[in-house]
Amino acid sequence: MKWKCSYCGYVYDEDEGDPLSDIPPGTKFEDLPDDWKCPICGAPKDMFYPLLDMSRKELKEFLKKWRKMSQEERKKFVEGLR
């Protein structure tokens, strides 16, 4: 799965990991350290959202809901995608 930073657009790809932060390939987003930040702009993990195949309008609505979700709700949502 891929996750996009809502600040700068950086995409964290679980298959690739984050070599700049010594995160190995295959590391799930939810398994990243709590203090992990975007390697480009420094945004925290909660400013990332999963990349999904949807229209621009659908994405805007999803992002509104995503930002209001608790960490537990986000985790359940992501588990449902796998």
Side-chain angles (χ1 to χ4, degrees):
M1 180 174 279
K2 295 179 182 182
W3 295 76
K4 188 171 185 174
C5 177
S6 60
Y7 285 157
C8 73
Y10 169 79
V11 175
Y12 174 77
D13 185 335
E14 294 178 346
D15 291 335
E16 296 177 10
D18 176 12
L20 296 174
S21 302
D22 294 324
I23 304 295
T27 302
K28 303 285 185 214
F29 188 80
E30 59 266 23
D31 294 335
L32 290 171
D34 290 336
D35 62 349
W36 180 85
K37 298 193 181 322
C38 175
I40 304 301
C41 72
K45 282 175 61 174
D46 64 354
M47 294 311 300
F48 281 72
Y49 59 89
L51 286 179
L52 306 169
D53 186 22
M54 60 179 63
S55 71
R56 188 173 200 68
K57 181 180 177 182
E58 291 170 323
L59 179 59
K60 280 184 160 185
E61 289 301 313
F62 171 77
L63 287 175
K64 284 180 190 177
K65 292 177 187 175
W66 180 261
R67 290 183 179 126
K68 293 178 183 177
M69 287 181 189
S70 68
Q71 290 294 340
E72 186 62 30
E73 290 171 322
R74 290 178 179 183
K75 185 177 180 180
K76 287 180 184 178
F77 176 82
V78 171
E79 287 172 357
L81 295 176
R82 297 186 192 276

Short mmCIF file of all heavy atoms in Angstrom, two decimals, residues 1 7 17-19 24 27 29 40 42 53-54 56 58 64 70 72 79:
data_model
loop_
_atom_site.label_atom_id
_atom_site.label_comp_id
_atom_site.label_asym_id
_atom_site.label_seq_id
_atom_site.Cartn_x
_atom_site.Cartn_y
_atom_site.Cartn_z
N MET A 1 0.83 -1.16 0.00
CA MET A 1 0.00 0.00 0.00
C MET A 1 0.89 1.24 0.00
O MET A 1 2.00 1.23 0.50
CB MET A 1 -0.91 -0.01 1.23
CG MET A 1 -1.82 1.19 1.31
SD MET A 1 -3.00 1.08 2.66
CE MET A 1 -4.19 0.04 1.87
N TYR A 7 1.01 17.34 3.00
CA TYR A 7 1.72 18.61 2.92
C TYR A 7 2.50 18.74 1.62
O TYR A 7 2.32 19.68 0.87
CB TYR A 7 2.69 18.78 4.09
CG TYR A 7 2.05 19.12 5.41
CD1 TYR A 7 2.70 18.83 6.59
CD2 TYR A 7 0.80 19.71 5.51
CE1 TYR A 7 2.14 19.13 7.82
CE2 TYR A 7 0.23 20.01 6.73
CZ TYR A 7 0.90 19.72 7.88
OH TYR A 7 0.35 20.01 9.09
N GLY A 17 9.79 0.91 1.50
CA GLY A 17 10.27 1.42 2.77
C GLY A 17 10.74 2.86 2.63
O GLY A 17 10.34 3.56 1.71
N ASP A 18 11.59 3.29 3.53
CA ASP A 18 12.14 4.65 3.50
C ASP A 18 13.64 4.58 3.76
O ASP A 18 14.09 4.66 4.90
CB ASP A 18 11.45 5.53 4.55
CG ASP A 18 12.03 6.93 4.63
OD1 ASP A 18 12.81 7.32 3.73
OD2 ASP A 18 11.72 7.63 5.60
N PRO A 19 14.43 4.39 2.70
CA PRO A 19 15.87 4.23 2.89
C PRO A 19 16.53 5.44 3.54
O PRO A 19 17.53 5.31 4.23
CB PRO A 19 16.41 4.00 1.48
CG PRO A 19 15.31 4.31 0.54
CD PRO A 19 14.03 4.30 1.30
N PRO A 24 13.26 -0.47 6.37
CA PRO A 24 13.45 -1.48 5.32
C PRO A 24 12.19 -1.70 4.46
O PRO A 24 11.07 -1.43 4.90
CB PRO A 24 13.77 -2.74 6.11
CG PRO A 24 13.18 -2.53 7.46
CD PRO A 24 13.23 -1.06 7.71
N THR A 27 7.99 -2.64 5.22
CA THR A 27 7.50 -2.10 6.49
C THR A 27 6.14 -1.44 6.27
O THR A 27 6.02 -0.50 5.49
CB THR A 27 8.49 -1.07 7.08
OG1 THR A 27 9.75 -1.70 7.26
CG2 THR A 27 7.99 -0.53 8.41
N PHE A 29 2.90 0.86 6.96
CA PHE A 29 2.84 2.23 7.46
C PHE A 29 2.54 2.26 8.95
O PHE A 29 3.16 3.01 9.70
CB PHE A 29 1.76 3.02 6.69
CG PHE A 29 1.76 4.48 7.02
CD1 PHE A 29 2.67 5.33 6.44
CD2 PHE A 29 0.84 5.00 7.92
CE1 PHE A 29 2.68 6.69 6.74
CE2 PHE A 29 0.83 6.35 8.23
CZ PHE A 29 1.75 7.20 7.64
N ILE A 40 10.76 14.33 3.44
CA ILE A 40 10.89 15.53 2.61
C ILE A 40 10.57 16.80 3.39
O ILE A 40 11.35 17.74 3.42
CB ILE A 40 9.98 15.44 1.37
CG1 ILE A 40 10.28 14.18 0.56
CG2 ILE A 40 10.08 16.70 0.51
CD1 ILE A 40 11.70 14.05 0.06
N GLY A 42 9.01 16.76 6.80
CA GLY A 42 8.95 16.61 8.25
C GLY A 42 7.56 16.47 8.83
O GLY A 42 7.39 16.51 10.04
N ASP A 53 -7.92 4.52 -5.36
CA ASP A 53 -8.37 4.83 -6.71
C ASP A 53 -9.74 5.49 -6.62
O ASP A 53 -10.76 4.81 -6.45
CB ASP A 53 -8.42 3.55 -7.55
CG ASP A 53 -8.74 3.84 -9.00
OD1 ASP A 53 -8.52 4.98 -9.45
OD2 ASP A 53 -9.23 2.92 -9.68
N MET A 54 -9.78 6.84 -6.69
CA MET A 54 -11.04 7.55 -6.58
C MET A 54 -10.94 8.89 -7.29
O MET A 54 -9.84 9.38 -7.57
CB MET A 54 -11.45 7.73 -5.12
CG MET A 54 -10.47 8.51 -4.28
SD MET A 54 -10.96 8.76 -2.56
CE MET A 54 -11.03 7.14 -1.92
N ARG A 56 -11.38 13.05 -7.81
CA ARG A 56 -10.92 14.19 -7.01
C ARG A 56 -11.98 14.56 -5.96
O ARG A 56 -11.65 14.83 -4.80
CB ARG A 56 -10.65 15.38 -7.93
CG ARG A 56 -9.99 16.56 -7.27
CD ARG A 56 -9.61 17.59 -8.35
NE ARG A 56 -8.63 18.52 -7.99
CZ ARG A 56 -7.34 18.30 -7.77
NH1 ARG A 56 -6.87 17.09 -7.84
NH2 ARG A 56 -6.51 19.26 -7.47
N GLU A 58 -14.31 12.59 -4.68
CA GLU A 58 -14.36 11.52 -3.68
C GLU A 58 -13.16 11.62 -2.73
O GLU A 58 -13.30 11.40 -1.53
CB GLU A 58 -14.36 10.15 -4.37
CG GLU A 58 -15.63 9.83 -5.11
CD GLU A 58 -15.50 8.58 -5.97
OE1 GLU A 58 -14.42 8.36 -6.56
OE2 GLU A 58 -16.48 7.84 -6.06
N LYS A 64 -11.61 14.64 4.32
CA LYS A 64 -12.35 15.29 5.43
C LYS A 64 -12.65 14.26 6.51
O LYS A 64 -12.46 14.52 7.70
CB LYS A 64 -13.66 15.90 4.92
CG LYS A 64 -13.48 17.18 4.16
CD LYS A 64 -14.84 17.70 3.71
CE LYS A 64 -14.70 18.86 2.75
NZ LYS A 64 -16.01 19.31 2.26
N SER A 70 -10.12 8.75 14.47
CA SER A 70 -9.12 8.46 15.50
C SER A 70 -8.09 7.50 14.91
O SER A 70 -8.31 6.91 13.85
CB SER A 70 -9.79 7.81 16.72
OG SER A 70 -10.25 6.51 16.38
N GLU A 72 -7.40 4.61 15.98
CA GLU A 72 -8.01 3.27 15.96
C GLU A 72 -8.93 3.12 14.75
O GLU A 72 -8.94 2.09 14.08
CB GLU A 72 -8.78 3.03 17.26
CG GLU A 72 -9.31 1.62 17.38
CD GLU A 72 -8.23 0.55 17.39
OE1 GLU A 72 -7.11 0.81 17.86
OE2 GLU A 72 -8.51 -0.57 16.92
N GLU A 79 -6.96 -1.86 7.66
CA GLU A 79 -7.04 -3.32 7.72
C GLU A 79 -8.10 -3.85 6.76
O GLU A 79 -7.94 -4.90 6.17
CB GLU A 79 -7.33 -3.78 9.15
CG GLU A 79 -6.13 -3.63 10.08
CD GLU A 79 -6.47 -3.90 11.53
OE1 GLU A 79 -7.63 -4.16 11.86
OE2 GLU A 79 -5.53 -3.83 12.35
#
